[in-house]
Short mmCIF file of all heavy atoms in Angstrom, two decimals:
data_model
loop_
_atom_site.label_atom_id
_atom_site.label_comp_id
_atom_site.label_asym_id
_atom_site.label_seq_id
_atom_site.Cartn_x
_atom_site.Cartn_y
_atom_site.Cartn_z
N LEU A 181 -17.49 -6.68 11.70
CA LEU A 181 -18.34 -5.99 10.72
C LEU A 181 -17.66 -5.80 9.36
O LEU A 181 -18.33 -5.59 8.36
CB LEU A 181 -18.74 -4.61 11.26
CG LEU A 181 -19.73 -4.60 12.42
CD1 LEU A 181 -19.84 -3.19 12.99
CD2 LEU A 181 -21.10 -5.09 11.96
N PRO A 187 -13.46 -11.33 -4.99
CA PRO A 187 -12.37 -11.07 -5.93
C PRO A 187 -12.90 -10.54 -7.26
O PRO A 187 -14.01 -10.87 -7.69
CB PRO A 187 -11.71 -12.44 -6.10
CG PRO A 187 -12.06 -13.19 -4.86
CD PRO A 187 -13.44 -12.71 -4.49
N LEU A 196 -1.61 -1.89 -8.61
CA LEU A 196 -0.49 -1.68 -7.69
C LEU A 196 -0.97 -1.66 -6.24
O LEU A 196 -1.90 -0.94 -5.89
CB LEU A 196 0.22 -0.37 -8.01
CG LEU A 196 1.42 -0.03 -7.10
CD1 LEU A 196 2.53 -1.05 -7.28
CD2 LEU A 196 1.93 1.37 -7.40
N SER A 209 6.71 -18.58 -22.20
CA SER A 209 8.06 -18.56 -21.62
C SER A 209 8.68 -17.18 -21.80
O SER A 209 8.35 -16.43 -22.71
CB SER A 209 8.94 -19.61 -22.30
OG SER A 209 8.48 -20.92 -22.03
N LEU A 253 16.06 -16.08 -39.45
CA LEU A 253 17.30 -16.00 -40.23
C LEU A 253 18.22 -17.15 -39.83
O LEU A 253 18.14 -17.69 -38.72
CB LEU A 253 18.00 -14.66 -39.98
CG LEU A 253 17.22 -13.40 -40.38
CD1 LEU A 253 17.95 -12.15 -39.91
CD2 LEU A 253 17.00 -13.37 -41.89
N PRO A 257 28.27 -20.28 -41.40
CA PRO A 257 29.63 -20.19 -40.87
C PRO A 257 30.48 -19.27 -41.73
O PRO A 257 30.30 -19.18 -42.96
CB PRO A 257 30.12 -21.64 -40.94
CG PRO A 257 28.87 -22.47 -40.90
CD PRO A 257 27.84 -21.67 -41.63
N MET A 268 16.01 -11.30 -32.07
CA MET A 268 16.00 -12.76 -32.16
C MET A 268 17.30 -13.27 -32.77
O MET A 268 17.74 -12.80 -33.82
CB MET A 268 14.80 -13.21 -32.99
CG MET A 268 14.61 -14.72 -33.03
SD MET A 268 12.96 -15.20 -33.60
CE MET A 268 12.87 -14.35 -35.19
N GLY A 272 21.95 -21.09 -35.99
CA GLY A 272 23.36 -21.34 -36.32
C GLY A 272 24.33 -20.49 -35.52
O GLY A 272 25.50 -20.85 -35.40
N ALA A 281 33.96 -4.79 -28.94
CA ALA A 281 35.10 -5.62 -29.31
C ALA A 281 35.24 -5.73 -30.82
O ALA A 281 35.88 -6.67 -31.33
CB ALA A 281 34.95 -7.02 -28.69
N VAL A 289 33.20 -6.81 -40.79
CA VAL A 289 33.48 -6.41 -39.41
C VAL A 289 34.78 -7.03 -38.93
O VAL A 289 35.12 -8.17 -39.27
CB VAL A 289 32.32 -6.82 -38.48
CG1 VAL A 289 32.14 -8.33 -38.41
CG2 VAL A 289 32.52 -6.26 -37.07
N LEU A 321 0.85 -6.84 -4.91
CA LEU A 321 1.40 -6.55 -6.24
C LEU A 321 2.30 -5.33 -6.20
O LEU A 321 1.86 -4.21 -5.95
CB LEU A 321 0.26 -6.35 -7.23
CG LEU A 321 -0.49 -7.65 -7.58
CD1 LEU A 321 -1.81 -7.37 -8.25
CD2 LEU A 321 0.38 -8.56 -8.44
N TYR A 367 -12.97 25.12 10.98
CA TYR A 367 -12.73 24.41 9.72
C TYR A 367 -12.84 22.90 9.94
O TYR A 367 -12.34 22.35 10.93
CB TYR A 367 -11.35 24.76 9.16
CG TYR A 367 -11.28 26.15 8.57
CD1 TYR A 367 -10.35 27.08 9.05
CD2 TYR A 367 -12.13 26.53 7.54
CE1 TYR A 367 -10.28 28.35 8.51
CE2 TYR A 367 -12.06 27.80 7.00
CZ TYR A 367 -11.14 28.71 7.48
OH TYR A 367 -11.07 29.96 6.95
N SER A 369 -11.83 19.25 9.58
CA SER A 369 -10.54 18.57 9.38
C SER A 369 -10.65 17.06 9.43
O SER A 369 -9.81 16.35 8.88
CB SER A 369 -9.52 19.04 10.42
OG SER A 369 -9.98 18.75 11.73
N ASP A 408 -22.58 3.13 -2.77
CA ASP A 408 -21.24 2.99 -3.34
C ASP A 408 -20.22 2.47 -2.33
O ASP A 408 -19.05 2.28 -2.69
CB ASP A 408 -20.76 4.36 -3.85
CG ASP A 408 -21.66 4.93 -4.92
OD1 ASP A 408 -22.17 4.14 -5.74
OD2 ASP A 408 -21.86 6.16 -4.93
N THR A 460 -19.07 4.62 13.98
CA THR A 460 -19.23 6.02 14.34
C THR A 460 -18.16 6.40 15.35
O THR A 460 -18.04 5.78 16.41
CB THR A 460 -20.64 6.28 14.92
OG1 THR A 460 -20.79 5.60 16.17
CG2 THR A 460 -21.71 5.80 13.95
N MET A 484 -8.65 -6.56 3.00
CA MET A 484 -8.09 -6.43 1.66
C MET A 484 -6.92 -7.39 1.44
O MET A 484 -6.27 -7.34 0.40
CB MET A 484 -7.64 -4.98 1.43
CG MET A 484 -8.80 -3.98 1.40
SD MET A 484 -8.31 -2.27 1.07
CE MET A 484 -7.60 -1.79 2.63
N ALA A 520 17.71 4.39 20.03
CA ALA A 520 18.02 4.39 21.46
C ALA A 520 17.06 3.50 22.25
O ALA A 520 17.33 3.17 23.41
CB ALA A 520 17.96 5.82 22.00
N HIS A 533 -5.91 18.48 20.85
CA HIS A 533 -4.56 18.95 20.55
C HIS A 533 -4.01 18.22 19.32
O HIS A 533 -3.14 17.35 19.42
CB HIS A 533 -3.63 18.74 21.75
CG HIS A 533 -3.94 19.67 22.90
ND1 HIS A 533 -3.72 21.02 22.84
CD2 HIS A 533 -4.43 19.42 24.14
CE1 HIS A 533 -4.07 21.58 23.99
NE2 HIS A 533 -4.52 20.62 24.80
N ARG A 535 -2.19 19.43 16.87
CA ARG A 535 -0.83 19.81 16.49
C ARG A 535 0.20 18.78 16.94
O ARG A 535 1.12 18.43 16.20
CB ARG A 535 -0.49 21.17 17.10
CG ARG A 535 0.99 21.51 17.09
CD ARG A 535 1.32 22.62 18.05
NE ARG A 535 2.76 22.74 18.25
CZ ARG A 535 3.32 23.53 19.15
NH1 ARG A 535 2.56 24.27 19.94
NH2 ARG A 535 4.62 23.59 19.27
N ALA A 538 0.16 15.58 14.92
CA ALA A 538 0.73 15.77 13.58
C ALA A 538 2.24 15.59 13.57
O ALA A 538 2.82 15.28 12.52
CB ALA A 538 0.36 17.15 13.05
N GLU A 548 -5.28 0.05 31.61
CA GLU A 548 -6.34 0.61 32.44
C GLU A 548 -5.99 0.63 33.93
O GLU A 548 -6.46 1.49 34.67
CB GLU A 548 -7.63 -0.21 32.25
CG GLU A 548 -8.21 -0.15 30.86
CD GLU A 548 -7.68 -1.24 29.92
OE1 GLU A 548 -6.55 -1.74 30.17
OE2 GLU A 548 -8.36 -1.55 28.95
N ARG A 560 4.45 0.07 26.20
CA ARG A 560 4.11 -0.40 24.84
C ARG A 560 3.94 0.79 23.91
O ARG A 560 3.36 1.81 24.28
CB ARG A 560 2.81 -1.21 24.87
CG ARG A 560 2.94 -2.56 25.51
CD ARG A 560 1.75 -3.46 25.16
NE ARG A 560 0.49 -2.84 25.50
CZ ARG A 560 -0.07 -2.88 26.71
NH1 ARG A 560 0.58 -3.47 27.71
NH2 ARG A 560 -1.25 -2.32 26.93
#
Side-chain angles (χ1 to χ4, degrees):
L181 289 170
L196 179 64
S209 295
L253 299 172
M268 186 164 56
V289 64
L321 289 165
Y367 286 122
S369 60
D408 300 323
T460 66
M484 294 183 284
H533 289 292
R535 165 198 168 187
E548 296 89 336
R560 288 196 306 275

